[in-house]
Amino acid sequence: MKNNHVELFGTLTRDIEVSKNGKGNTFVKFSLACLRDGTKPWTDYINCIAFGDMANDICKHGDKDTGFCIVGNLRTSSYEKNGKKQYSTNVVVESFELLND
């Protein structure tokens, strides 16, 4: 059993950001708007990242307002910006499906 498992159903909040790392490998960053269950309607905006072939496949299918089911794992990282330590949490995409409107 895998302990670090995330499954999200949501909609892209903006167009996908495509980048390449120092080795020339493609990766994409995007944010999913996911509705939270509960008595009050609430939306969480979840940052996601995908690498390599997965990144290329997501780019082919995703524009703002596209619905996705994302399966992946959480990854935390830190970096320094203007002398201050910053932290981030992203879902690393392992697989995805497009959702019908």
Side-chain angles (χ1 to χ4, degrees), residues 34-80:
C34 302
L35 294 176
R36 188 186 298 183
D37 292 336
T39 55
K40 289 177 140 182
W42 189 267
T43 303
D44 289 304
Y45 298 91
I46 311 295
N47 294 320
C48 302
I49 190 167
F51 301 94
D53 292 337
M54 184 71 58
N56 293 328
D57 288 344
I58 289 172
C59 279
K60 290 177 192 173
H61 302 291
D63 294 316
K64 185 179 178 196
D65 297 327
T66 302
F68 278 97
C69 171
I70 299 289
V71 175
N73 61 77
L74 282 178
R75 187 169 300 168
T76 59
S77 61
S78 63
Y79 58 94
E80 223 172 281

